[in-house]
Amino acid sequence: MLLADRFRAHAEAAVRERSPLYDEWSRGIADDPDVLALIGRAPEARRQPALVLAVARWLGAPLEPWPSLREWMLAHPDALVAELGRRTTQVNDVRRLGPVSLALSRVDGPVALLEVGASAGLCLFPDRYAFHATARGDGVDVDLRWGDPVGDVVVGLDIDLGSGADAPPSALAGAVSAGRVELPEIVWRAGLDLDPVDVTDPSAVSWLETSLPPGPSDRVDLLRRAVAVARSAPPRILRADAVDGLAAAAADAPTDARLVVVSTGTLVYLPGARRQAFVDAVRRLDASWISYERRDLLHDVVVPPHAGLAPGGDFAALALDGHALAVGDAHGTRVRLLPS
Ligand SMILES: C[S@@+](CC[C@H](N)C(=O)[O-])C[C@H]1O[C@@H](n2cnc3c(N)ncnc32)[C@H](O)[C@@H]1O
C-alpha cells in the first residue's frame, strides 16, 4: 500500500477510535508530499502511521491542528527519522480481557496463566479487574458482573447472544444468559514477549500512553489504573519468541494448576509458518489455549460467515482450544457468541 494510502486508512481508523485529531493529522500527511518524503526516509517497517504520530508527540509535537504538526515535523526532520528507527508502537489493551475472560470462565481452576505477547503484562490480572457486561439476545437482556467486584479497573463488554441460529446455543451462551460468569482461581501468572514493557519503568509506561491515540481520556485512565495493579505485583515476563520460548515459559508453571496459554492481538506479528508452529507448540503442551486474534488468521480456528454485524464487529475470533466461541471487534469491547 502506498504511504499516502496508509495514512488515509489510518484516518478512517482514527474516526472509529474517536480521535478527531489523528483523523485530521493523518489526512493532512496523506495529502502532503513534503511530509510523506520525510517519513519515507525512515526504514520501511517504521513508517506505520500510528508509530509516526506517536513519535512526533513523544518528541514534543503539540496536540494542535494539522498546520502546527506539519510545521513541527518539517522543523525536526532528523530527530523524527532517527527516533522512528529506534521505536515500535507498544499496545497493551486490557479491554481484550472482556472476551478472554469469557473463555477463561469455561476452564476449571486453579489456573496458571501464561500470556504470549504480554507487552507490559496488564492482561495477566483478570481476577483483579471488574467486568461489567450487558448481554442481549432473543428475549434476554441481562447485566452481568464478574472478576473483582471492587476492582479499580472496570472493563465493559457488550455481548450479543446471537439469534435464532440453526445450531443450539453454546454452553457459554447458556451461562451468560443465566448471568453466571465466574473466573477460575488464578494461582500463577507469567508472560512471554519479544520486547516486554517494564511496568515499573515510568518512561516505558509513558511510551505506552503515547502509543494511544489522543481522544477520549477513558483509555488513558484505564491504562493507568491497570498499570497501578500490575505494579503492585509486577508479573514475570520472559523476553523470548512466542514459538522458541513457549516450552521454557510453560515449564515454570505449577503442575497442580491448569496451564492456560493466552494470545491476543499478537499472532499477526508472526509470519504464517511461525504462526502454525506456535499453534503446534501449544498443542504439544498439556494446556488450554485461549486466542483473541484476527478472525482469518489461524487455520485451526474456523469461524462461520456472519451477517448483520456492525462494521468491524467480526474483526477478531475468540477461541478456546481452537474452537471458536465468538466474534468481536479489534479491542474486545463487543462480541457476538457463536452457536455450539
Ligand atoms: C499488539 S501487542 C498486544 C499486547 C497484548 N497481548 C494486548 O492485547 O494488549 C503485541 C505484542 O506481541 C509482541 N510480539 C510480537 N512478535 C512476537 C513474537 N514473535 N514472540 C513474542 N512476542 C511477540 C510484541 O512485542 C507486543 O508486545
Side-chain angles (χ1 to χ4, degrees), residues 55-144:
V55 162
R57 286 171 59 201
W58 182 256
L59 294 176
L63 288 175
E64 288 172 8
W66 160 241
S68 304
L69 177 68
R70 179 178 196 277
E71 190 181 326
W72 185 93
M73 289 175 112
L74 294 176
H76 301 84
D78 296 339
L80 190 67
V81 172
E83 194 69 13
L84 280 173
R86 277 193 285 269
R87 288 206 172 262
T88 54
T89 45
Q90 295 280 5
V91 179
N92 203 181
D93 195 343
V94 295
R95 297 176 301 174
R96 293 181 181 140
L97 272 180
V100 166
S101 62
L102 283 180
L104 192 57
S105 74
R106 307 309 299 162
V107 178
D108 290 331
V111 156
L113 198 59
L114 174 61
E115 189 188 4
V116 172
S119 185
L122 304 183
C123 292
L124 287 168
F125 298 89
D127 49 340
R128 300 279 308 276
Y129 303 160
F131 294 88
H132 291 185
T134 57
R136 297 202 174 82
D138 281 342
V140 181
D141 187 345
V142 286
D143 288 333
L144 297 97

Side-chain angles (χ1 to χ4, degrees), residues 284-296:
R284 278 195 296 276
L285 296 172
D286 180 15
S288 298
W289 168 40
I290 295 173
S291 56
Y292 192 69
E293 300 283 354
R294 212 178 69 201
R295 58 167 286 184
D296 54 358

Side-chain angles (χ1 to χ4, degrees), residues 178-194:
R180 273 187 291 103
V181 173
E182 264 179 52
L183 296 183
E185 185 190 6
I186 299 172
V187 293
W188 179 90
R189 60 199 91 213
L192 178 66
D193 201 292
L194 262 192

Side-chain angles (χ1 to χ4, degrees), residues 198-240:
D198 179 356
V199 80
T200 64
D201 175 353
S203 170
V205 169
S206 183
W207 175 242
L208 264 184
E209 281 186 23
T210 309
S211 295
L212 291 176
S217 57
D218 50 358
R219 282 192 71 183
V220 175
D221 182 57
L222 196 64
L223 178 69
R224 288 184 180 161
R225 286 168 186 267
V227 164
V229 170
R231 278 184 176 160
S232 70
R236 176 160 181 263
I237 301 181
L238 187 67
R239 182 181 292 275

